[in-house]
């Protein structure tokens, strides 16, 4: 992948950019095998590759500069803005939207937040594109003061970018290094972005996590569903379920599926997908979602399912949940989707009764050292 920002040393986020893509994949695969070398009988499926560029469906852009001349991208080590509107990682649809969004900042007189000076209003633009080219646009603001201007000028933005389906303002009054605050103000009647994924439509609301590489995520869900179908469980838990990707792909009228996620917004999104698929109708698959902590839910449940899917953040599932799976539950099968192979190896070591049978690396993040690993575990 050619990148002028990397060549000019304005951005070094793609740490593996100088490495041929085939070597990147081989290195990630070997890294996973090395970390799980304690399991010599583990069958490794061929890695799932990605497009080298144009795959990233979400842009998390810092806004700096001035309202008249906004800079949309990142901040360098001096706190100065670097414009990344033409970053080749983003989908063509996202790159095409940036000029209109920058023009809207000027048109609505949205003063970018000055980090060193702690003044200004617009901190970030968070933009997500669906496979159908529709957009969710979120304005992260220091206060509610600019919201009236955004509402006033929003029709002009929607005319310039008719693919926007969801727009909102997020309030982040604190001066700290986070992307968003807890309060979201809808700006459009539609509040969830539909994302077609295989034969399921997922819905993304503001503050809902979703994988940044849609084609690779679709493969991830298909592989997990294939392993679930082989195991033929009568009951499934999808822990850290997000917007319900695994749970909804594994729904079947022969099994009960429960999704658990701390984010209320994410579970609301999952319920929207479930209701659209009529998974609560008589004779349909039985699917429910709960806004709860995954570990607390497991420890408090009176019964364990046949199969558990876990898709934790980088820290992994941790010793408490691993210990419950290992010693306090009758779970027979675990499917572990990990974005951090180091914490994956640590969690597997805490569950010696479960034998890893099959594993696969999925390159969700080309040009970086990050990747996803999917592992099928069966109680020995």
């Amino acid at each position: 992948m050619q990148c002028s920002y990397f060549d000019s040393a304005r951005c070094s986020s793609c740490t593996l950019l100088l490495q041929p893509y085939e070597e990147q994949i081989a290195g990630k695969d070997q890294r996973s095998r090395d970390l799980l070398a304690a399991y010599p009988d583990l069958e490794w499926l061929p890695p799932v590759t990605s497009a080298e560029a144009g795959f990233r469906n979400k842009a998390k852009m810092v806004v700096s500069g001035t309202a008249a001349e906004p800079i949309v991208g990142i901040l360098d080590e001096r706190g100065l803005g670097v414009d990344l509107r033409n970053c080749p990682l983003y989908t063509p649809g996202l790159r095409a939207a940036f000029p209109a969004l920058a023009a809207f900042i000027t048109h609505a007189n949205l003063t970018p937040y000055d980090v060193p000076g702690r003044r200004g209003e617009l901190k970030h633009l968070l933009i997500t594109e669906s496979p159908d080219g529709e957009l969710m646009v979120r304005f992260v603001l220091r206060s509610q003061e600019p919201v009236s201007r955004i509402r006033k000028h929003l029709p002009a933005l929607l005319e310039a970018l008719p693919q926007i389906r969801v727009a909102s303002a997020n309030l982040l009054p604190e001066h700290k290094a986070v992307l968003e605050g807890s309060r979201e103000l809808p700006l459009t009647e539609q509040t969830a972005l539909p994302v077609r994924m295989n034969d399921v439509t997922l819905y993304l609301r503001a503050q809902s996590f979703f994988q940044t590489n849609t084609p690779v995520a679709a493969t991830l869900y298909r592989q997990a569903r294939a392993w679930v179908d082989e195991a033929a469980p009568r009951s499934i838990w999808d822990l850290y379920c997000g917007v319900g990707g695994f749970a909804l792909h594994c729904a079947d009228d022969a099994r009960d599926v429960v999704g658990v996620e701390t984010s209320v917004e994410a579970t609301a999104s999952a319920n929207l997908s479930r209701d659209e698929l009529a998974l609560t109708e008589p004779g349909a698959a039985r699917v429910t979602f709960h806004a709860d902590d995954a570990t607390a839910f497991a420890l408090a449940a009176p019964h364990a399912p046949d199969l558990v899917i876990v898709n934790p953040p980088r820290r992994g599932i941790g010793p408490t949940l691993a210990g419950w799976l290992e010693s306090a539950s009758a779970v027979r099968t675990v499917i572990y989707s990990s974005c951090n192979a180091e914490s994956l190896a640590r969690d597997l070591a805490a569950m010696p009764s479960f034998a890893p049978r099959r594993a696969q690396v999925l390159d969700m993040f080309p040009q970086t050292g990050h990747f996803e690993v999917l592992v099928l575990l069966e109680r020995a």
Side-chain angles (χ1 to χ4, degrees):
M1 183 184 80
Q2 184 67 32
C3 178
S4 61
Y5 301 112
F6 187 90
D7 293 342
S8 60
R10 286 178 289 169
C11 177
S12 56
S13 298
C14 292
T15 55
L16 301 184
L17 188 60
L18 298 179
Q19 188 175 39
Y21 186 61
E22 294 77 10
E23 293 182 12
Q24 294 182 32
I25 294 296
K28 293 176 182 185
D29 190 57
Q30 189 59 54
R31 175 63 175 157
S32 301
R33 291 170 184 257
D34 290 344
L35 285 167
L36 301 185
Y39 311 102
D41 295 331
L42 177 57
E43 175 190 355
W44 286 91
L45 304 182
V48 175
T49 59
S50 167
E52 296 182 46
F55 61 85
R56 190 172 178 88
N57 60 28
K58 184 173 184 178
K60 306 172 183 179
M61 308 297 265
V62 178
V63 183
S64 58
T66 65
E69 296 184 1
I71 299 172
V72 180
I74 59 172
L75 298 179
D76 65 15
E77 64 278 359
R78 299 166 297 172
L80 302 177
V82 178
D83 200 294
L84 292 183
R85 297 184 217 179
N86 291 314
C87 171
L89 294 184
Y90 296 125
T91 63
L94 288 178
R95 294 200 301 272
F98 292 143
L101 290 167
F104 178 77
I105 294 171
T106 301
H107 188 58
N109 193 27
L110 303 177
T111 305
Y113 184 69
D114 175 41
V115 174
R118 302 194 179 194
R119 59 181 178 269
E121 285 293 340
L122 180 59
K123 293 184 174 183
H124 305 123
L125 279 177
L126 307 179
I127 312 106
T128 303
E129 185 185 30
S130 77
D132 293 320
E134 297 181 332
L135 299 176
M136 174 190 289
V137 177
R138 302 170 62 211
F139 301 89
V140 181
L141 308 168
R142 186 180 68 161
S143 76
Q144 198 167 335
E145 184 275 329
V147 173
S148 60
R149 294 199 305 279
I150 294 176
R151 292 188 188 278
K152 175 183 176 180
H153 297 289
L154 187 60
L157 177 61
L158 297 179
E159 183 176 351
L161 290 174
Q163 59 268 46
I164 293 177
R165 291 292 174 267
V166 180
S168 64
N170 177 275
L171 302 186
L172 177 60
E174 300 88 358
H175 179 82
K176 57 184 180 181
V178 296
L179 277 175
E180 60 189 44
S182 59
R183 189 179 174 196
E184 201 83 20
L185 304 177
L187 301 173
T188 52
E189 182 177 354
Q190 186 170 325
T191 58
L193 181 70
V195 177
R196 289 186 302 107
M197 184 72 63
N198 301 311
D199 54 353
V200 173
T201 297
L202 303 174
Y203 284 92
L204 304 187
R205 296 164 65 94
Q207 301 180 323
S208 295
F209 168 77
F210 187 68
Q211 301 283 7
T212 59
N213 191 322
T214 306
V216 175
T219 304
L220 174 72
Y221 293 137
R222 288 196 303 271
Q223 183 60 74
R225 177 165 60 186
W227 287 349
V228 167
D229 288 344
E230 284 183 21
R234 297 179 61 184
S235 54
I236 299 173
W237 287 356
D238 177 9
L239 303 182
Y240 313 93
C241 71
V243 297
F246 286 109
L248 293 164
H249 276 81
C250 296
D252 184 280
D253 59 9
R255 61 183 68 128
D256 292 307
V257 181
V258 176
V260 181
E261 167 62 47
T262 57
S263 168
V264 173
E265 291 295 323
T267 51
S269 300
N271 281 321
L272 186 60
S273 297
R274 180 200 64 187
D275 294 345
E276 183 178 88
L277 292 167
L279 295 180
T280 57
E281 300 296 324
R286 303 176 295 273
V287 182
T288 57
F289 293 98
H290 301 271
D292 200 350
D293 174 78
T295 301
F297 178 88
L299 269 58
H303 304 289
D306 298 330
L307 184 148
V308 171
I309 301 169
V310 292
N311 183 26
R314 291 190 59 78
R315 65 178 181 272
I317 65 173
T320 302
L321 183 54
W324 178 84
L325 286 165
E326 169 68 17
S327 304
S329 81
V331 174
R332 301 298 307 170
T333 307
V334 174
I335 295 176
Y336 195 133
S337 181
S338 170
C339 61
N340 182 356
E342 285 82 3
S343 61
L344 167 66
R346 186 168 59 247
D347 288 338
L348 296 192
M351 300 187 293
S353 293
F354 286 92
R357 301 301 188 192
R358 276 175 273 175
Q360 186 171 43
V361 168
L362 299 100
D363 193 21
M364 202 78 72
F365 314 101
Q367 318 305 338
T368 77
H370 300 294
F371 52 92
E372 197 85 8
V373 186
L374 189 68
V375 183
L376 171 66
L377 308 163
E378 295 177 346
R379 196 179 289 275

